[in-house]
Amino acid sequence: FLPAAWLVVTPSLRTSGLLAALTDRDARTLLAILTALTPDGRFTATAPSAASALGVSEKDVSERLRALMAVTFEGTPLVVEIPHEQ
C-alpha cells in the first residue's frame, strides 16, 4: 500500500515569485506532471496520457518536458530526469 500523494497549494506559490517565474505553458506542464506523481516522486504518466491531459501531441509533451527541465527557481531545477534503473 502506498499512501496517496498530496499537493498543497499555498500563497507561497505566489509570494515566492515562482508563479510569476513560470510561463503559462510551463505552469500547465508542471501541474500535469504533479498529477501523475507517485508518493515517492516517480512520474507515472505515459506520453499518450500526458498529451491527452494537456491537449497536445506526444511530440509537444516531450518538448514541454525538456523545456521545463531547463527552468530553475532560486538556482534549483524544478524538474530533473532520473534515469530508470536497469
Side-chain angles (χ1 to χ4, degrees):
F1 170 76
L2 290 174
W6 290 88
L7 170 64
V8 179
V9 178
T10 67
S12 294
L13 176 64
R14 176 180 35 84
T15 60
S16 69
L18 177 58
L19 187 59
L22 293 172
T23 65
D24 293 350
R25 182 179 125 161
D26 286 342
R28 286 185 63 225
T29 305
L30 181 59
L31 285 172
I33 289 171
L34 292 173
T35 64
L37 289 180
T38 63
D40 63 354
R42 289 180 289 129
F43 179 56
T44 59
T46 61
S49 68
S52 176
L54 289 166
V56 300
S57 71
E58 290 179 37
K59 179 182 174 186
D60 287 341
V61 166
S62 295
E63 197 283 322
R64 283 172 173 244
L65 291 174
R66 278 192 304 277
L68 195 56
M69 285 188 283
V71 175
T72 61
F73 183 69
E74 297 181 348
T76 303
L78 289 182
V79 176
V80 295
E81 181 177 13
I82 299 171
H84 291 282
E85 293 180 8
Q86 296 298 325

Coordinates of all heavy atoms in Angstrom, one line a residue:
F1 N 0.8 -1.2 0.0 CA 0.0 0.0 0.0 C 0.9 1.2 0.0 O 1.8 1.4 0.8 CB -0.9 0.0 1.2 CG -1.6 1.3 1.5 CD1 -2.7 1.6 0.7 CD2 -1.2 2.2 2.4 CE1 -3.4 2.8 0.9 CE2 -1.9 3.4 2.6 CZ -3.0 3.7 1.8
L2 N 0.6 2.1 -0.9 CA 1.3 3.4 -0.9 C 0.3 4.5 -0.7 O -0.8 4.5 -1.4 CB 1.9 3.7 -2.3 CG 3.1 2.8 -2.6 CD1 3.6 3.1 -4.1 CD2 4.3 3.1 -1.7
P3 N 0.5 5.3 0.3 CA -0.5 6.4 0.5 C -0.5 7.4 -0.6 O 0.4 7.5 -1.4 CB 0.1 7.1 1.8 CG 1.6 6.8 1.8 CD 1.7 5.4 1.1
A4 N -1.6 8.0 -0.8 CA -1.8 9.0 -1.9 C -0.8 10.2 -1.7 O -0.5 10.6 -0.6 CB -3.2 9.5 -1.9
A5 N -0.4 10.7 -2.8 CA 0.5 11.9 -2.8 C -0.5 13.1 -2.6 O -1.6 13.1 -3.1 CB 1.3 12.0 -4.0
W6 N 0.0 14.1 -2.0 CA -0.8 15.3 -1.8 C 0.0 16.5 -2.4 O 1.2 16.6 -2.3 CB -1.0 15.6 -0.3 CG -1.9 14.6 0.3 CD1 -1.5 13.4 0.9 CD2 -3.3 14.7 0.5 NE1 -2.6 12.8 1.4 CE2 -3.7 13.5 1.1 CE3 -4.2 15.6 0.1 CZ2 -5.0 13.3 1.5 CZ3 -5.5 15.4 0.5 CH2 -5.9 14.3 1.1
L7 N -0.8 17.4 -3.0 CA -0.3 18.6 -3.5 C -1.0 19.7 -2.8 O -2.3 19.8 -2.9 CB -0.4 18.8 -5.0 CG -0.2 20.2 -5.6 CD1 1.3 20.5 -5.4 CD2 -0.6 20.2 -7.0
V8 N -0.3 20.5 -2.0 CA -1.0 21.6 -1.3 C -0.5 22.9 -1.9 O 0.7 23.2 -1.9 CB -0.6 21.6 0.2 CG1 -1.3 22.7 1.0 CG2 -1.1 20.2 0.8
V9 N -1.4 23.7 -2.4 CA -1.0 25.0 -3.0 C -1.3 26.0 -1.9 O -2.4 26.1 -1.4 CB -1.9 25.2 -4.3 CG1 -1.5 26.6 -4.8 CG2 -1.6 24.1 -5.3
T10 N -0.3 26.8 -1.6 CA -0.4 27.8 -0.6 C -0.1 29.2 -1.2 O 0.4 29.2 -2.3 CB 0.6 27.6 0.6 OG1 1.9 27.7 0.1 CG2 0.4 26.2 1.1
P11 N -0.3 30.2 -0.5 CA 0.1 31.6 -1.0 C 1.6 31.7 -1.4 O 2.0 32.5 -2.1 CB -0.3 32.5 0.1 CG -1.4 31.8 0.8 CD -1.1 30.4 0.8
S12 N 2.4 30.8 -0.8 CA 3.8 30.8 -1.1 C 4.1 30.6 -2.6 O 5.1 31.1 -3.2 CB 4.6 29.7 -0.4 OG 4.5 30.0 1.0
L13 N 3.2 29.9 -3.3 CA 3.3 29.8 -4.8 C 3.4 31.2 -5.4 O 4.2 31.4 -6.3 CB 2.2 29.0 -5.4 CG 2.2 28.8 -6.9 CD1 3.4 28.0 -7.4 CD2 0.9 28.1 -7.3
R14 N 2.6 32.1 -4.9 CA 2.5 33.4 -5.5 C 3.6 34.3 -4.8 O 4.3 35.0 -5.5 CB 1.1 34.0 -5.2 CG 1.0 35.5 -5.6 CD -0.4 36.0 -5.3 NE -1.1 35.4 -4.1 CZ -0.9 35.9 -2.9 NH1 0.0 36.9 -2.7 NH2 -1.5 35.4 -1.9
T15 N 3.7 34.3 -3.5 CA 4.6 35.2 -2.8 C 6.1 34.9 -3.0 O 6.9 35.8 -2.9 CB 4.3 35.3 -1.3 OG1 4.4 34.0 -0.7 CG2 2.8 35.7 -1.1
S16 N 6.4 33.6 -3.3 CA 7.8 33.3 -3.5 C 8.3 33.8 -4.9 O 9.5 33.8 -5.1 CB 7.9 31.8 -3.5 OG 7.3 31.2 -4.6
G17 N 7.4 34.1 -5.8 CA 7.8 34.5 -7.1 C 7.8 33.4 -8.1 O 8.0 33.6 -9.3
L18 N 7.5 32.2 -7.7 CA 7.5 31.0 -8.6 C 6.4 31.2 -9.6 O 6.6 31.0 -10.8 CB 7.4 29.7 -7.8 CG 7.3 28.5 -8.7 CD1 8.5 28.3 -9.6 CD2 7.1 27.2 -7.8
L19 N 5.2 31.5 -9.2 CA 4.1 31.7 -10.1 C 4.5 32.7 -11.2 O 4.2 32.4 -12.4 CB 2.9 32.1 -9.4 CG 1.6 32.1 -10.2 CD1 1.3 30.7 -10.8 CD2 0.4 32.6 -9.4
A20 N 5.0 33.8 -10.9 CA 5.4 34.8 -11.9 C 6.5 34.3 -12.8 O 6.6 34.8 -13.9 CB 5.8 36.1 -11.1
A21 N 7.4 33.5 -12.2 CA 8.5 33.0 -13.0 C 8.2 32.0 -14.1 O 8.9 31.8 -15.0 CB 9.6 32.4 -12.1
L22 N 7.0 31.3 -13.9 CA 6.6 30.3 -14.9 C 5.8 30.9 -16.0 O 4.9 31.8 -15.8 CB 5.7 29.3 -14.2 CG 6.4 28.4 -13.1 CD1 5.4 27.5 -12.4 CD2 7.4 27.5 -13.8
T23 N 6.0 30.4 -17.2 CA 5.1 30.8 -18.3 C 3.8 30.0 -18.1 O 3.8 29.0 -17.4 CB 5.7 30.4 -19.7 OG1 5.9 29.0 -19.7 CG2 7.1 31.1 -19.9
D24 N 2.8 30.4 -18.8 CA 1.5 29.7 -18.7 C 1.7 28.3 -19.1 O 1.2 27.3 -18.5 CB 0.4 30.4 -19.5 CG 0.0 31.7 -19.1 OD1 0.4 32.1 -17.9 OD2 -0.7 32.4 -19.8
R25 N 2.5 28.1 -20.2 CA 2.7 26.7 -20.7 C 3.5 25.9 -19.7 O 3.1 24.7 -19.4 CB 3.5 26.8 -22.0 CG 3.8 25.5 -22.6 CD 4.5 25.8 -23.9 NE 5.7 25.0 -23.9 CZ 6.5 24.7 -24.9 NH1 6.1 25.1 -26.1 NH2 7.5 23.9 -24.8
D26 N 4.5 26.5 -19.1 CA 5.3 25.7 -18.1 C 4.5 25.4 -16.8 O 4.6 24.3 -16.2 CB 6.6 26.5 -17.7 CG 7.6 26.4 -18.7 OD1 7.6 25.6 -19.6 OD2 8.6 27.3 -18.7
A27 N 3.6 26.3 -16.4 CA 2.7 26.1 -15.3 C 1.8 24.9 -15.5 O 1.6 24.0 -14.7 CB 2.0 27.3 -14.9
R28 N 1.2 24.9 -16.7 CA 0.3 23.8 -17.1 C 1.0 22.5 -17.1 O 0.5 21.4 -16.7 CB -0.4 24.0 -18.4 CG -1.5 25.1 -18.4 CD -2.2 25.3 -19.7 NE -2.9 24.1 -20.0 CZ -2.9 23.5 -21.2 NH1 -2.2 24.1 -22.2 NH2 -3.6 22.4 -21.5
T29 N 2.2 22.5 -17.7 CA 3.0 21.2 -17.8 C 3.4 20.8 -16.4 O 3.3 19.6 -16.1 CB 4.3 21.5 -18.7 OG1 3.9 22.0 -20.0 CG2 5.1 20.2 -18.9
L30 N 3.8 21.7 -15.6 CA 4.2 21.3 -14.2 C 3.0 20.7 -13.4 O 3.1 19.7 -12.8 CB 4.7 22.5 -13.4 CG 5.2 22.2 -12.0 CD1 6.3 21.2 -11.9 CD2 5.7 23.5 -11.3
L31 N 1.8 21.3 -13.6 CA 0.6 20.8 -12.9 C 0.3 19.4 -13.5 O -0.1 18.5 -12.7 CB -0.6 21.7 -13.1 CG -0.5 22.9 -12.3 CD1 -1.7 23.9 -12.6 CD2 -0.6 22.6 -10.8
A32 N 0.5 19.2 -14.8 CA 0.2 17.8 -15.3 C 1.2 16.8 -14.8 O 0.8 15.7 -14.4 CB 0.3 17.9 -16.9
I33 N 2.5 17.2 -14.6 CA 3.4 16.3 -14.0 C 3.0 16.0 -12.6 O 3.1 14.8 -12.1 CB 4.8 16.9 -14.1 CG1 5.4 16.9 -15.5 CG2 5.8 16.1 -13.1 CD1 6.7 17.7 -15.6
L34 N 2.7 17.0 -11.8 CA 2.4 16.8 -10.4 C 1.2 15.9 -10.2 O 1.1 15.1 -9.2 CB 2.1 18.1 -9.7 CG 3.4 19.0 -9.6 CD1 3.0 20.4 -9.1 CD2 4.4 18.4 -8.7
T35 N 0.2 15.8 -11.2 CA -0.9 15.0 -11.0 C -0.6 13.5 -11.3 O -1.4 12.6 -11.1 CB -2.1 15.4 -11.9 OG1 -1.7 15.3 -13.3 CG2 -2.5 16.8 -11.6
A36 N 0.6 13.3 -11.9 CA 1.0 11.9 -12.3 C 2.2 11.4 -11.5 O 2.9 10.5 -11.9 CB 1.3 11.9 -13.8
L37 N 2.4 12.0 -10.3 CA 3.5 11.5 -9.4 C 3.0 10.5 -8.4 O 1.9 10.6 -7.9 CB 4.1 12.7 -8.7 CG 4.9 13.7 -9.4 CD1 5.4 14.8 -8.5 CD2 6.1 13.1 -10.2
T38 N 3.9 9.5 -8.1 CA 3.6 8.6 -7.1 C 4.1 9.2 -5.8 O 4.8 10.3 -5.8 CB 4.4 7.3 -7.3 OG1 5.8 7.6 -7.2 CG2 4.1 6.6 -8.6
P39 N 3.7 8.7 -4.6 CA 4.2 9.3 -3.3 C 5.7 9.4 -3.2 O 6.2 10.2 -2.5 CB 3.6 8.3 -2.3 CG 2.4 7.8 -3.0 CD 2.8 7.6 -4.4
D40 N 6.4 8.5 -3.9 CA 7.9 8.6 -3.8 C 8.5 9.5 -4.9 O 9.7 9.5 -5.1 CB 8.5 7.2 -3.8 CG 8.3 6.4 -5.0 OD1 7.5 6.9 -5.9 OD2 8.9 5.3 -5.2
G41 N 7.6 10.2 -5.7 CA 8.1 11.2 -6.6 C 8.4 10.7 -8.0 O 8.9 11.4 -8.8
R42 N 7.9 9.5 -8.3 CA 8.1 8.9 -9.7 C 7.0 9.5 -10.6 O 5.8 9.5 -10.2 CB 8.1 7.4 -9.7 CG 9.4 6.9 -9.1 CD 9.5 5.3 -9.1 NE 8.5 4.9 -8.1 CZ 7.6 3.9 -8.4 NH1 7.5 3.4 -9.6 NH2 6.7 3.6 -7.5
F43 N 7.3 9.9 -11.8 CA 6.4 10.3 -12.8 C 5.9 9.1 -13.5 O 6.6 8.4 -14.1 CB 7.1 11.3 -13.8 CG 6.2 11.8 -14.9 CD1 5.1 12.5 -14.6 CD2 6.6 11.7 -16.2 CE1 4.3 13.0 -15.6 CE2 5.9 12.2 -17.2 CZ 4.7 12.8 -16.9
T44 N 4.6 8.9 -13.5 CA 4.0 7.6 -14.0 C 3.2 7.8 -15.3 O 2.7 6.8 -15.8 CB 3.1 7.0 -12.9 OG1 2.0 7.9 -12.6 CG2 3.8 6.6 -11.7
A45 N 3.0 9.0 -15.7 CA 2.3 9.2 -17.0 C 3.0 8.7 -18.2 O 4.2 8.7 -18.2 CB 1.9 10.7 -17.1
T46 N 2.3 8.2 -19.1 CA 2.8 7.8 -20.4 C 2.7 9.1 -21.3 O 2.0 10.0 -21.0 CB 2.0 6.7 -21.1 OG1 0.7 7.1 -21.3 CG2 2.0 5.4 -20.2
A47 N 3.5 9.0 -22.4 CA 3.4 10.1 -23.4 C 2.0 10.4 -23.9 O 1.5 11.5 -23.9 CB 4.4 9.9 -24.5
P48 N 1.3 9.3 -24.2 CA -0.1 9.5 -24.7 C -1.0 10.1 -23.6 O -1.9 11.0 -23.9 CB -0.6 8.1 -25.1 CG 0.6 7.3 -25.4 CD 1.7 7.9 -24.5
S49 N -0.9 9.6 -22.4 CA -1.8 10.1 -21.3 C -1.4 11.6 -21.0 O -2.3 12.4 -20.7 CB -1.7 9.3 -20.1 OG -0.4 9.3 -19.4
A50 N -0.1 11.9 -21.0 CA 0.2 13.3 -20.7 C -0.2 14.2 -21.9 O -0.7 15.3 -21.7 CB 1.8 13.4 -20.6
A51 N -0.1 13.7 -23.1 CA -0.6 14.5 -24.3 C -2.1 14.7 -24.2 O -2.5 15.9 -24.4 CB -0.2 13.8 -25.6
S52 N -2.8 13.7 -23.8 CA -4.3 13.9 -23.7 C -4.6 14.9 -22.6 O -5.5 15.7 -22.7 CB -4.9 12.5 -23.4 OG -6.3 12.6 -23.1
A53 N -3.9 14.8 -21.4 CA -4.2 15.7 -20.3 C -3.9 17.1 -20.7 O -4.7 18.0 -20.2 CB -3.4 15.3 -19.1
L54 N -2.9 17.4 -21.5 CA -2.6 18.7 -21.9 C -3.2 19.2 -23.2 O -3.1 20.4 -23.5 CB -1.0 18.8 -22.0 CG -0.3 18.8 -20.7 CD1 1.2 18.5 -21.0 CD2 -0.5 20.0 -19.9
G55 N -3.8 18.2 -23.9 CA -4.4 18.6 -25.2 C -3.4 18.9 -26.3 O -3.7 19.8 -27.1
V56 N -2.3 18.2 -26.2 CA -1.2 18.5 -27.2 C -0.8 17.1 -27.8 O -1.2 16.1 -27.3 CB 0.0 19.2 -26.6 CG1 -0.5 20.6 -26.1 CG2 0.6 18.4 -25.5
S57 N 0.1 17.2 -28.7 CA 0.7 15.9 -29.3 C 1.7 15.4 -28.4 O 2.3 16.0 -27.5 CB 1.3 16.2 -30.7 OG 2.5 17.0 -30.5
E58 N 2.1 14.1 -28.6 CA 3.1 13.4 -27.8 C 4.5 14.1 -28.1 O 5.3 14.3 -27.1 CB 3.2 12.0 -28.2 CG 2.0 11.2 -27.7 CD 2.1 9.7 -28.1 OE1 3.3 9.1 -28.0 OE2 1.1 9.1 -28.4
K59 N 4.7 14.6 -29.3 CA 5.9 15.3 -29.6 C 6.0 16.6 -28.8 O 7.0 17.0 -28.2 CB 6.0 15.6 -31.1 CG 7.2 16.4 -31.5 CD 7.2 16.7 -33.0 CE 8.3 17.7 -33.3 NZ 8.3 18.1 -34.7
D60 N 4.9 17.3 -28.6 CA 4.8 18.5 -27.9 C 5.1 18.2 -26.4 O 5.7 19.0 -25.7 CB 3.5 19.2 -28.0 CG 3.3 19.9 -29.4 OD1 4.4 20.2 -30.0 OD2 2.2 20.2 -29.8
V61 N 4.6 17.1 -25.9 CA 4.8 16.7 -24.5 C 6.3 16.6 -24.2 O 6.8 17.1 -23.3 CB 4.1 15.4 -24.1 CG1 4.6 14.9 -22.8 CG2 2.6 15.7 -24.0
S62 N 7.0 15.9 -25.1 CA 8.5 15.7 -25.0 C 9.2 17.1 -25.0 O 10.1 17.3 -24.1 CB 9.0 14.9 -26.1 OG 8.5 13.6 -26.0
E63 N 8.8 18.0 -25.9 CA 9.4 19.3 -25.9 C 9.1 20.1 -24.6 O 10.0 20.8 -24.1 CB 8.9 20.0 -27.2 CG 9.7 21.2 -27.6 CD 9.5 22.5 -26.7 OE1 8.4 22.8 -26.3 OE2 10.5 23.1 -26.4
R64 N 7.9 20.0 -24.2 CA 7.5 20.7 -22.9 C 8.3 20.2 -21.7 O 8.7 21.0 -20.9 CB 6.0 20.5 -22.7 CG 5.1 21.4 -23.5 CD 3.6 20.9 -23.3 NE 2.7 21.8 -24.0 CZ 1.8 22.6 -23.3 NH1 1.7 22.6 -22.0 NH2 1.0 23.4 -24.0
L65 N 8.5 18.9 -21.7 CA 9.2 18.3 -20.5 C 10.7 18.8 -20.6 O 11.3 19.2 -19.6 CB 9.1 16.8 -20.5 CG 7.7 16.3 -20.1 CD1 7.7 14.7 -20.3 CD2 7.3 16.7 -18.7
R66 N 11.3 18.8 -21.8 CA 12.6 19.3 -21.9 C 12.7 20.7 -21.5 O 13.7 21.1 -20.8 CB 13.1 19.1 -23.4 CG 13.6 17.7 -23.7 CD 14.4 17.6 -25.0 NE 13.6 18.1 -26.1 CZ 12.7 17.4 -26.8 NH1 12.4 16.1 -26.4 NH2 12.0 17.9 -27.8
A67 N 11.8 21.5 -22.0 CA 11.8 23.0 -21.6 C 11.6 23.2 -20.1 O 12.3 24.0 -19.5 CB 10.7 23.7 -22.4
L68 N 10.8 22.4 -19.5 CA 10.6 22.5 -18.1 C 11.8 22.1 -17.3 O 12.1 22.7 -16.2 CB 9.3 21.7 -17.6 CG 8.8 22.0 -16.3 CD1 8.4 23.5 -16.1 CD2 7.5 21.2 -16.0
M69 N 12.5 21.1 -17.8 CA 13.8 20.7 -17.1 C 14.8 21.8 -17.1 O 15.7 21.8 -16.3 CB 14.3 19.4 -17.7 CG 13.5 18.2 -17.3 SD 14.2 16.6 -17.8 CE 13.8 16.6 -19.5
A70 N 14.7 22.7 -18.0 CA 15.6 23.9 -18.1 C 15.3 25.0 -17.2 O 16.0 25.9 -17.0 CB 15.7 24.4 -19.6
V71 N 14.1 25.0 -16.6 CA 13.6 26.0 -15.7 C 14.2 25.8 -14.3 O 14.1 24.7 -13.8 CB 12.1 26.1 -15.6 CG1 11.6 27.1 -14.6 CG2 11.4 26.3 -17.0
T72 N 14.8 26.9 -13.8 CA 15.3 26.9 -12.4 C 14.6 27.9 -11.6 O 14.1 28.9 -12.2 CB 16.8 27.1 -12.4 OG1 17.1 28.4 -12.9 CG2 17.6 26.0 -13.1
F73 N 14.5 27.7 -10.3 CA 13.9 28.7 -9.4 C 14.9 28.7 -8.2 O 15.1 27.7 -7.6 CB 12.5 28.4 -9.0 CG 11.9 29.4 -8.1 CD1 11.6 30.6 -8.6 CD2 11.6 29.1 -6.8 CE1 11.0 31.6 -7.8 CE2 11.1 30.1 -6.0 CZ 10.8 31.3 -6.5
E74 N 15.3 29.9 -7.9 CA 16.3 30.1 -6.8 C 17.5 29.2 -7.0 O 18.0 28.6 -6.0 CB 15.6 30.0 -5.5 CG 14.6 31.0 -5.2 CD 13.9 30.9 -3.9 OE1 14.1 29.9 -3.2 OE2 13.2 31.8 -3.5
G75 N 17.9 29.0 -8.2 CA 19.1 28.2 -8.5 C 18.9 26.7 -8.5 O 19.9 25.9 -8.7
T76 N 17.7 26.2 -8.4 CA 17.4 24.8 -8.4 C 16.4 24.4 -9.5 O 15.4 25.1 -9.7 CB 16.7 24.4 -7.0 OG1 17.6 24.8 -5.9 CG2 16.5 22.9 -6.9
P77 N 16.8 23.4 -10.2 CA 15.8 23.0 -11.3 C 14.5 22.5 -10.7 O 14.4 21.9 -9.7 CB 16.5 21.8 -11.9 CG 17.9 21.7 -11.4 CD 17.9 22.5 -10.2
L78 N 13.4 22.9 -11.4 CA 12.1 22.5 -11.0 C 11.8 21.0 -11.2 O 11.2 20.4 -10.4 CB 11.0 23.3 -11.7 CG 10.8 24.8 -11.3 CD1 9.7 25.4 -12.1 CD2 10.6 24.9 -9.8
V79 N 12.4 20.5 -12.3 CA 12.2 19.1 -12.7 C 13.5 18.6 -13.1 O 14.3 19.2 -13.9 CB 11.2 19.0 -13.9 CG1 11.0 17.6 -14.4 CG2 9.8 19.6 -13.5
V80 N 13.8 17.4 -12.7 CA 15.0 16.7 -13.1 C 14.6 15.3 -13.6 O 13.7 14.7 -13.1 CB 16.1 16.5 -11.9 CG1 16.6 17.9 -11.5 CG2 15.5 15.8 -10.7
E81 N 15.4 14.8 -14.6 CA 15.2 13.5 -15.1 C 16.1 12.5 -14.4 O 17.3 12.8 -14.3 CB 15.4 13.4 -16.6 CG 15.2 12.1 -17.2 CD 15.4 12.0 -18.7 OE1 15.9 13.0 -19.2 OE2 15.0 11.0 -19.3
I82 N 15.5 11.5 -13.8 CA 16.3 10.4 -13.2 C 16.2 9.2 -14.0 O 15.1 8.7 -14.2 CB 15.8 10.2 -11.7 CG1 16.0 11.5 -10.9 CG2 16.6 9.0 -11.1 CD1 15.3 11.4 -9.6
P83 N 17.3 8.7 -14.6 CA 17.2 7.5 -15.5 C 16.7 6.3 -14.8 O 16.8 6.2 -13.5 CB 18.7 7.3 -15.9 CG 19.4 8.6 -15.6 CD 18.7 9.2 -14.5
H84 N 15.9 5.5 -15.5 CA 15.4 4.3 -14.9 C 16.6 3.3 -14.6 O 17.6 3.3 -15.2 CB 14.5 3.5 -16.0 CG 13.3 4.2 -16.3 ND1 12.2 4.2 -15.4 CD2 12.9 5.0 -17.3 CE1 11.2 4.9 -16.0 NE2 11.6 5.4 -17.1
E85 N 16.4 2.6 -13.5 CA 17.4 1.6 -13.1 C 17.2 0.4 -14.1 O 16.1 0.0 -14.4 CB 17.1 1.1 -11.7 CG 17.4 2.2 -10.6 CD 17.1 1.7 -9.2 OE1 16.9 0.5 -9.0 OE2 17.1 2.6 -8.3
Q86 N 18.3 -0.1 -14.4 CA 18.3 -1.3 -15.4 C 18.2 -2.6 -14.6 O 18.6 -2.8 -13.6 CB 19.6 -1.3 -16.2 CG 19.8 -0.1 -17.0 CD 18.7 0.1 -18.1 OE1 18.2 -0.9 -18.6 NE2 18.3 1.3 -18.4

